Amino acid sequence: GESVGLHLPTLSVQEGDNSIINCAYSNSASDYFIWYKQESGKGPQFIIDIRSNMDKRQGQRVTVLLNKTVKHLSLQIAATQPGDSAVYFCAENTDDYKLSFGAGTTVTVRA
Amino acid sequence: IAGITQAPTSQILAAGRRMTLRCTQDMRHNAMYWYRQDLGLGLRLIHYSNTAGTTGKGEVPDGYSVSRANTDDFPLTLASAVPSQTSVYFCASSETSGGANEQFFGPGTRLTVL
């Protein structure tokens, strides 16, 4: 089975609101996590990453939170814009070279 | 423009035919990867290469082979395509294979096997 999974397959959010995308992982030894954004017809693009020695990391309009106690990862997008509509994947480092991906959450931004 | 290129963009292939998907990166990354993406299953690793001259099996390697003759190129070959290999294929690379690093993805190849 998948070691990384997303709680909800779809998320609809009003433009200007904040979005929260959740992810659960099962491998307590994972030490690195990444969020990717994939727009239709394109390859995944890096958004933000976090290492297991941190519990929060901020980027431009995005924040990743890591809760190792419950093996939970979330991506927060501030002031969601139409261009944020995409599929979002979390991935965990399960080995020194491998990433294990979740199935993805489709985010749709309502105007 | 630096990055990863894949060819072809899309292909329709008859079952039983041989097909090679091409992947080239110009970032001088040591590690390269091939994934397939199917609806509802996310990205699954087919094969990887930690450095030129070495390759390894990922999660779903059956029916696929790879080679890594140099740093830049990492072709994926389907020796005898089957309909279950219909998918979108992504090539990726990362700066090092040791330790966790961001993977950069190509634009993908959409393959349909009839």
Side-chain angles (χ1 to χ4, degrees):
Chain A
E2 299 235 317
S3 64
V4 177
L6 293 166
H7 290 311
L8 293 174
T10 62
L11 175 67
S12 180
V13 60
Q14 185 69 38
E15 182 179 356
D17 288 352
N18 297 336
S19 303
I20 299 177
I21 307 166
N22 295 305
C23 181
Y25 64 95
S26 59
N27 188 347
S28 57
S30 294
D31 60 0
Y32 179 65
F33 304 86
I34 305 180
W35 280 100
Y36 282 93
K37 173 186 179 183
Q38 186 176 25
E39 297 175 73
S40 180
K42 297 183 179 180
Q45 291 179 288
F46 172 88
I47 301 173
I48 192 167
D49 59 3
I50 188 168
R51 298 196 180 270
S52 60
N53 60 354
M54 303 172 68
D55 54 21
K56 180 179 180 180
R57 190 165 188 221
Q58 289 185 289
Q60 186 178 7
R61 282 200 308 117
V62 295
T63 300
V64 56
L65 299 177
L66 175 63
N67 185 330
K68 294 181 288 293
T69 302
V70 295
K71 296 199 281 284
H72 182 268
L73 190 70
S74 69
L75 177 70
Q76 300 178 3
I77 304 174
T80 310
Q81 302 170 359
D84 295 328
S85 292
V87 179
Y88 290 81
F89 295 94
C90 62
E92 67 176 318
N93 171 245
T94 58
D95 207 326
D96 68 348
Y97 47 76
K98 294 179 183 175
L99 292 177
S100 178
F101 287 82
T105 292
T106 300
V107 173
T108 302
V109 181
R110 306 188 307 273
Chain B
I1 298 176
I4 299 180
T5 58
Q6 293 184 236
T9 301
S10 64
Q11 182 75 44
I12 299 174
L13 189 66
R17 297 296 295 269
R18 180 183 180 91
M19 175 73 191
T20 295
L21 308 184
R22 300 185 297 279
C23 175
T24 299
Q25 54 105 357
D26 62 3
M27 297 176 282
R28 307 303 294 173
H29 285 170
N30 289 330
M32 297 187 73
Y33 315 84
W34 273 106
Y35 294 88
R36 59 177 290 171
Q37 185 174 37
D38 303 290
L39 191 63
L41 295 177
L43 290 148
R44 293 182 292 168
L45 183 65
I46 304 171
H47 284 287
Y48 64 91
S49 168
N50 290 344
T51 188
T54 68
T55 62
K57 295 182 180 181
E59 181 185 353
V60 289
D62 294 343
Y64 305 94
S65 64
V66 292
S67 62
R68 187 89 184 276
N70 57 60
T71 297
D72 298 343
D73 301 300
F74 192 42
L76 176 73
T77 297
L78 289 67
S80 179
V82 295
S84 63
Q85 292 177 310
T86 293
S87 188
V88 181
Y89 291 86
F90 288 100
C91 180
S93 71
S94 66
E95 187 171 318
T96 63
S97 61
N101 288 283
E102 173 192 353
Q103 291 182 15
F104 294 83
F105 285 81
T109 293
R110 182 174 296 275
L111 182 67
T112 302
V113 182
L114 301 176

